Amino acid sequence: MFDTEKNKSTYIYLDPEKQDSFQDMRKRSRVRKIKDFISEKSVKHLPWIYTKKDNPKSLLKLARSSDQGLRCLGVKQLSKHHDWEDYQYRNIAQALDTRTMIGLARSQDVDPRFFLPMPKAPPSKVWLEDEYRTLISSLQNEDLDKCLKHFATKALQLGNNADERDSLFSFGGTGLEFAKSVSSVPEERVEIVCLQALASHSADFRCCQNIIKMGGVQLLQQTYTKRHKSIVIRRQIAKTLGNLSVHKCFHEEIVRAGWVTVLSRWISSSDLTLSLHAARTLANLDTDFVSCTYEDGVYLIHPIYREKESINADIVFVHGLLGGPFKTWRQQDRKGPGADKSSDGTESVKKGTYTFCWPKDWLAKDCGNIRILSVEYDTDLSTWNANCPFETEKRSLTVRASSILQKLKKADIGSRPIIWVGHSMGGLLIKQILSIADDTPGLDNIVNNTVAPTVEVKEMGRDSPMLRRLHKDFQQLVMEHGIPCLSFGELEKTQIRTPKLKMLIVPPESSDPGIGEFHAMKTSHLNICKPWDRDSELYTETLKFIRRCLLQGRIENILKAGMTFKDSDR
């Protein structure tokens, strides 16, 4: 169905009084129309595709069409498995334009022969670490964030000889102990620290400009060529590329350096962090299909590839203190301090059935037509910011929530129904985000589209006046906007640092918000966001709640548009 108004006698009826509201919905659905166009039904509108679907020249021509929908269809047909010879793939790879190449890189299970090898990086006349020092030094200016200056100072303090390096690593400091723990090679440790500093600076647009100007993309090429076996270095490179890709003016530089070829491999990596860094970068590069931007700290969990299905709702995960955008949402640990001692459970890890991200591996399959995002903010376990003496200026709920809100807005949050999922402090941040959005002109659509709210697993600091005020404001917001709410609280004590000390981090009387559904679970504070398996009550209750909210959102959208379906179409 391409034009619902032209086909309204066949598909839907429109209330004439609500035509304007339906028109507004169509204006916001450019990407949805493209996805409808590349569905299997759309192929019927181009019968010649069946006779030329294995002709590489015809498909490449289709992928280069001036019509956006035809281009996307061409990429989809190209990405399918063909019985082509190597030389045919090589010819296509040499003829690919940027848009088609990026589209193929974001196609699941695409043949790697579509991509030319990354060009050789220009030879360096000095040590890589010296090039990083020069680059990081060039990024410094008076208006730069205080923490970025602090990180740069630490990176630049690393000595030029082994004795100085070892003394600095022994002394510790920002990023140094982490680098020492992941590498036994002194030079590689220095490069890791410098890459962390560079990744932090790349979140600033002015720094990005200097990174490009000073040949930073080529320096990343040299580093990858030299240290391609280091997963830590690959992650930092992918994160830096993701930050550069936020700005369209740098896309050509990234593509020219051959990073699309590498990213097409990384996006399917078994390493979750590397895969999602690559997914964010490619989504930002894919301006022909994606109409929003994923800034630093906003990760696309699903769909990471081009999808033919339209997106009906967004689910946003916000971790708590000591958490992270990926590790918080893993399945419950099978071994170690956080493991459930009542069950062995190690077989699931051995068999590969254990998930390190249940929203990606379970929720995306159990709920169709959704987009899943995960938000990152600095916590005490952050390698860099925990040691920044100026970071306390940014740690208030209001400042953090405002920053996250602006980034989510650029990721197109608020254009469709939203479901919020928060753990520990993440629940408080969600409350603050909604409170700020409700009071900010132009952002109230985020509150209005919150048809499903936070899955609040805890409250923190029950005697805090600020938190009591925040909770009161949130209760009023929930009642005014009719937001459903599901909360979980822990019943088991959590081990704190020493084996002898255990306590309830948040008792049920504090974790129960007094609104919506509340479930007290026989689990600890750390595990209340980590289901044991797909059949656990924690996951099944969450899944039922999300499905109810998705159904409610679809019904509301239909009512807003004034649509009624014919009996024959139901």
Side-chain angles (χ1 to χ4, degrees):
M1 181 173 63
F2 296 99
D3 189 331
T4 48
E5 289 191 309
K6 291 182 180 179
N7 295 281
K8 62 183 179 181
S9 60
T10 305
Y11 293 94
I12 59 175
Y13 294 110
L14 299 178
D15 183 345
E17 296 181 0
K18 297 186 178 181
Q19 288 275 356
D20 291 339
S21 110
F22 187 66
Q23 290 286 353
D24 291 339
M25 289 175 62
R26 291 186 62 199
K27 289 178 182 178
R28 296 193 302 267
S29 64
R30 178 178 67 88
V31 173
R32 177 175 295 183
K33 288 194 292 183
I34 296 172
K35 292 175 181 178
D36 288 343
F37 191 83
I38 65 174
S39 66
E40 294 298 330
K41 293 181 180 179
S42 66
V43 178
K44 296 179 181 178
H45 293 263
L46 296 168
W48 60 268
I49 205 72
Y50 286 107
T51 60
K52 298 186 178 182
K53 64 180 180 180
D54 284 326
N55 186 312
K57 290 185 178 180
S58 297
L59 293 180
L60 185 59
K61 182 178 180 181
L62 183 65
R64 288 174 160 180
S65 170
S66 59
D67 182 89
Q68 189 177 33
L70 288 177
R71 286 199 302 271
C72 294
L73 177 60
V75 170
K76 179 187 175 183
Q77 295 299 118
L78 266 176
S79 67
K80 293 183 177 180
H81 293 284
H82 303 279
D83 295 327
W84 295 339
E85 299 292 337
D86 287 346
Y87 79 89
Q88 292 176 296
Y89 279 101
R90 186 165 56 251
N91 289 341
I92 293 177
Q94 293 172 343
L96 284 179
D97 60 285
T98 297
R99 284 187 304 207
T100 305
M101 186 194 312
I102 294 170
L104 287 171
R106 293 194 71 232
S107 300
Q108 192 167 8
D109 298 324
V110 67
D111 195 303
R113 290 176 290 179
F114 278 119
F115 307 100
L116 296 174
M118 172 183 268
K120 290 185 178 181
S124 176
K125 298 180 180 180
V126 297
W127 291 97
L128 279 181
E129 58 193 76
D130 292 331
E131 291 207 39
Y132 275 111
R133 289 193 187 92
T134 301
L135 176 57
I136 293 172
S137 296
S138 73
L139 303 180
Q140 308 309 303
N141 61 70
E142 293 182 359
D143 299 328
L144 195 64
D145 179 87
K146 293 179 180 179
C147 284
L148 291 182
K149 289 183 179 179
H150 179 72
F151 305 153
T153 301
K154 289 291 184 180
L156 295 173
Q157 282 177 349
L158 297 179
N160 289 317
N161 60 67
D163 292 336
E164 287 187 51
R165 293 189 195 106
D166 289 341
S167 64
L168 279 167
F169 279 111
S170 298
F171 177 75
T174 302
L176 301 183
E177 286 301 323
F178 170 73
K180 186 177 180 180
S181 70
V182 298
S183 176
S184 60
V185 182
E187 292 84 358
E188 185 174 332
R189 294 176 189 172
V190 176
E191 291 161 14
I192 288 173
V193 174
C194 290
L195 271 171
Q196 288 178 313
L198 186 64
S200 298
H201 282 73
S202 65
D204 182 277
F205 175 68
R206 292 171 301 174
C207 288
C208 285
Q209 290 178 307
N210 280 331
I211 290 172
I212 297 295
K213 182 179 178 180
M214 296 291 292
V217 174
Q218 289 72 31
L219 180 57
L220 293 178
Q221 271 183 285
Q222 295 171 9
T223 307
Y224 173 65
T225 301
K226 183 179 180 181
R227 307 290 186 194
H228 64 274
K229 292 183 179 180
S230 169
I231 186 62
V232 176
I233 285 182
R234 278 181 284 161
R235 289 174 181 172
Q236 292 298 326
I237 291 176
K239 182 175 182 178
T240 304
L241 291 172
N243 291 342
L244 291 172
S245 70
V246 168
H247 313 288
K248 293 182 180 180
C249 55
F250 305 139
H251 286 188
E252 184 179 348
E253 191 74 24
I254 296 172
V255 174
R256 188 188 303 120
W259 282 111
V260 174
T261 297
V262 179
L263 291 167
S264 69
R265 295 198 302 268
W266 285 355
I267 195 174
S268 58
S269 170
S270 58
D271 183 84
L272 178 67
T273 304
L274 179 63
S275 171
L276 295 183
H277 278 315
R280 179 171 80 97
T281 307
L282 285 172
N284 285 338
L285 292 174
D286 193 9
T287 56
D288 203 34
F289 194 81
V290 180
S291 58
C292 63
T293 302
Y294 299 100
E295 294 203 342
D296 182 39
V298 177
Y299 294 95
L300 178 63
I301 304 295
H302 174 80
I304 62 174
Y305 299 106
R306 284 189 173 189
E307 289 282 334
K308 65 181 181 181
E309 293 182 347
S310 58
I311 304 298
N312 294 332
D314 290 320
I315 304 181
V316 182
F317 285 79
V318 187
H319 66 82
L321 283 174
L322 308 182
F326 315 131
K327 67 179 181 180
T328 291
W329 313 108
R330 67 185 184 274
Q331 195 172 350
Q332 192 175 135
D333 295 334
R334 265 41 184 170
K335 56 182 179 179
D340 186 342
K341 303 301 183 183
S342 64
S343 174
D344 177 16
T346 56
E347 283 302 308
S348 61
V349 179
K350 293 179 181 178
K351 295 178 180 178
T353 56
Y354 178 88
T355 175
F356 291 92
C357 184
W358 59 262
K360 179 177 183 290
D361 295 331
W362 296 351
L363 191 60
K365 295 176 182 176
D366 293 334
C367 292
N369 304 96
I370 59 172
R371 180 178 62 156
I372 303 175
L373 303 182
S374 186
V375 170
E376 178 182 38
Y377 61 94
D378 298 319
T379 72
D380 288 342
L381 284 188
S382 169
T383 305
W384 287 96
N385 292 316
N387 294 305
C388 175
F390 310 106
E391 181 58 25
T392 53
E393 301 172 8
K394 303 178 181 179
R395 289 187 176 273
S396 72
L397 276 176
T398 302
V399 173
R400 277 177 167 161
S402 297
S403 174
I404 293 172
L405 179 59
Q406 293 302 322
K407 292 179 179 180
L408 290 176
K409 183 65 177 177
K410 292 180 181 179
D412 206 25
I413 291 295
S415 64
R416 58 178 72 92
I418 315 164
I419 297 173
W420 300 89
V421 184
H423 172 243
S424 191
M425 184 177 172
L428 303 179
L429 276 170
I430 293 170
K431 287 181 178 181
Q432 189 67 60
I433 287 171
L434 293 176
S435 178
I436 295 173
D438 194 45
D439 295 334
T440 305
L443 294 178
D444 54 345
N445 61 327
I446 289 180
V447 177
N448 295 333
N449 274 313
T450 300
V451 298
T454 67
V455 176
E456 273 185 38
V457 292
K458 329 244 191 316
E459 290 289 341
M460 302 174 65
R462 57 179 175 174
D463 295 326
S464 166
M466 185 276 293
L467 294 186
R468 286 200 298 267
R469 183 175 62 254
L470 177 61
H471 185 63
K472 182 179 178 180
D473 292 343
F474 180 71
Q475 284 182 316
Q476 183 177 351
L477 197 67
V478 166
M479 290 185 289
E480 287 180 357
H481 293 272
I483 301 175
C485 189
L486 172 66
S487 305
F488 295 104
E490 77 237 34
L491 290 177
E492 295 183 357
K493 294 180 179 180
T494 300
Q495 182 175 304
I496 307 297
R497 295 191 181 276
T498 62
K500 295 182 180 180
L501 180 59
K502 289 186 176 182
M503 63 179 293
L504 279 176
I505 303 297
V506 184
E509 58 267 25
S510 296
S511 56
D512 185 354
I515 50 177
E517 299 178 41
F518 175 74
H519 298 270
M521 311 294 291
K522 291 183 179 180
T523 190
S524 66
H525 180 83
L526 295 178
N527 287 331
I528 202 161
C529 58
K530 301 175 180 68
W532 177 255
D533 56 31
R534 211 165 180 169
D535 297 322
S536 67
E537 183 182 0
L538 182 63
Y539 179 70
T540 56
E541 289 296 328
T542 302
L543 179 60
K544 285 192 296 185
F545 178 77
I546 289 175
R547 282 175 169 171
R548 287 200 306 269
C549 293
L550 290 174
L551 178 60
Q552 175 185 334
R554 293 189 187 106
I555 293 173
E556 288 180 352
N557 282 339
I558 290 173
L559 294 177
K560 285 179 182 178
M563 304 181 193
T564 58
F565 290 88
K566 295 175 64 176
D567 291 340
S568 59
D569 292 328
R570 291 178 182 171

